[in-house]
Amino acid sequence: MDFTNKNVVITGGSTGIGFATAKAFISAGASVWITGRSADNLQKAAAEINSPKLKTVVSDTSNLAGIAVLEKAISESGTKLDVLFLNAGIAVFAPIEHTTEADFDAQFNTNVKGYFFTLQKMMPHLKEGSSVVFTSSNAAHLSNINVSAYSATKSAVNKIAQVAANELAERKIRVNIVTPGPTDTGVLAKVGMPKEVEKQVTEQIVASTAVKRMGQPEEIANMVLFLASDNAAFITGSEFVIDGGMTNYALK
């Protein structure tokens, strides 16, 4: 797929799926803006990608002030966007009984409010015929323990994306959803889980998939690029589950 002379914004682009997608877009010829909360992580991402086509913006999209930083950067650049990938997200694992208000709010602020208002503020900068992709999660379709608030945020994301597909159709802007399952982004290590526990949890997750392995960020990135390309010109308001068969397998 060729994205030469295309402009892409990726929220949460310094690590994981966002980072893999940024690399893929740049390899396909696009100019890419990535956001993140951590200047250090953005610098590391920029050093690894090492391309003049990459720009970084320190922007916490969980709040309107952070989104305004991104909006100002795009506005001042005069850039019109071909692709907006709403990907920044967090997860806190706890049963309902022990979920704090702070953890609940943090997840909804980042995963729901962040997506909603980033889309709103980027709308004037989207070209006619552009593509918007939301990152959801198969947690929106499962009822696993310890992820109630996170699962609820992803269910909300799906509905926002579906409504946005209808509202933006007049401008020929397509809106779609990628729904990863267990993906090897290092998230378990980041939550400070002991190595032995991390290994056990990973083994349990792998066993719950039909293909018996974790997904790779690059595999999610491939779907994002497809949905952003002209090959997907007749696809909008759709969700694509990329979870190694986990959702269907878990229901057996």
Side-chain angles (χ1 to χ4, degrees), residues 8 10 13-14 18-19 22-23 26 30-35 42-57:
V8 179
I10 300 173
S14 62
F19 178 70
K23 288 201 296 184
I26 287 173
S31 295
V32 178
W33 302 68
I34 61 172
T35 76
L42 287 169
Q43 288 173 359
K44 290 175 184 175
E48 183 171 340
I49 293 176
N50 190 26
S51 170
K53 291 182 175 293
L54 180 71
K55 297 181 177 65
T56 63
V57 182

Side-chain angles (χ1 to χ4, degrees), residues 49 89 117 119 121 131 166 171 188:
I49 293 176
F117 285 103
L119 175 60
K121 301 304 181 185
S131 175
N166 291 331
R171 292 176 56 191
L188 295 180

